[in-house]
Amino acid sequence: MIPEQLASVENNLSIANLGFIDYVENADADGVFRGLPSQPSERTLTIEELLAAAPASQLPEPILTSFIGDLEGARGQETTTATYVVDLRTSADYLEANREGYGLSNVVGLEETIARTRQGGSALLFSFAVRGDYWSAWIDPDSLVPFALLGVSRRATDRSPVWSYHEMVNVPS
């Protein structure tokens, strides 16, 4: 490893965000780790590829079935843009800090999403609207399988703002 990467390696190993294998797999041909490849900040995904990956999720059947049904209804939009989240704990922090914002809404998956994103790691995050409601999905960047889903439907009396998934990614530190 080159000296400039020492702090990054130590930090990621100490919080178990990455393991030694991650660094071995990203070493150059000469065996020297010079840094992790940069991830694009956004990625365009097709609704069809998301629908193909969703059934492999281990999420509870009622939530997954509802998500897939609503995603099928979004086929007309063809693509969605997902944002790369480097550390999922920023999403957990955001959701916990803004829990009251969901008070007047019907929400599915909030506690499960907080618990899963609290574990850390990285993901792709996207949202899509359905009849005035919306889903936010945290998916594996390689397989596109969802591992956390948050569905929000606003009640008729709800005048609270609808939170943007970009706010969960771009939380000021």
Side-chain angles (χ1 to χ4, degrees), residues 40-171:
S41 61
E42 293 185 339
R43 180 172 162 192
T44 301
L45 305 168
T46 68
I47 300 301
E48 292 303 321
E49 65 187 338
L50 294 169
L51 283 168
S57 177
Q58 299 298 310
L59 290 167
E61 188 65 31
I63 294 173
L64 187 60
T65 300
S66 181
F67 171 76
I68 290 172
D70 286 343
L71 191 58
E72 286 175 341
R75 284 183 199 239
Q77 88 180 47
E78 295 185 27
T79 64
T80 189
T81 301
T83 302
Y84 187 74
V85 181
V86 177
D87 185 353
L88 288 171
R89 289 172 293 194
T90 59
S91 293
D93 292 343
Y94 177 85
L95 291 169
E96 287 176 342
N98 292 287
R99 186 184 297 268
E100 298 81 37
Y102 297 107
L104 295 174
S105 300
N106 295 315
V107 180
V108 295
L110 179 62
E111 297 305 324
E112 297 88 345
T113 298
I114 290 172
R116 174 54 185 92
T117 56
R118 178 62 53 213
Q119 296 172 13
S122 59
L124 289 170
L125 169 63
F126 72 94
S127 288
F128 67 95
V130 181
R131 300 174 301 276
D133 305 333
Y134 72 95
W135 283 95
S136 291
W138 289 259
I139 62 175
D140 180 89
D142 298 319
S143 68
L144 306 183
V145 172
F147 57 81
L149 295 171
L150 177 66
V152 179
S153 59
R154 299 175 72 186
R155 296 181 192 155
T157 59
D158 186 5
R159 298 290 180 237
S160 64
V162 174
W163 303 107
S164 162
Y165 78 101
H166 289 289
E167 292 176 286
M168 289 184 259
V169 177
N170 300 315
V171 177

Side-chain angles (χ1 to χ4, degrees), residues 12-43:
N12 281 303
L13 289 175
S14 69
I15 63 171
N17 191 40
L18 297 172
F20 282 108
I21 192 68
D22 296 302
Y23 295 103
V24 170
E25 290 175 349
N26 286 288
D28 289 342
D30 60 1
V32 176
F33 177 75
R34 291 184 171 81
L36 293 170
S38 63
Q39 291 284 347
S41 61
E42 293 185 339
R43 180 172 162 192

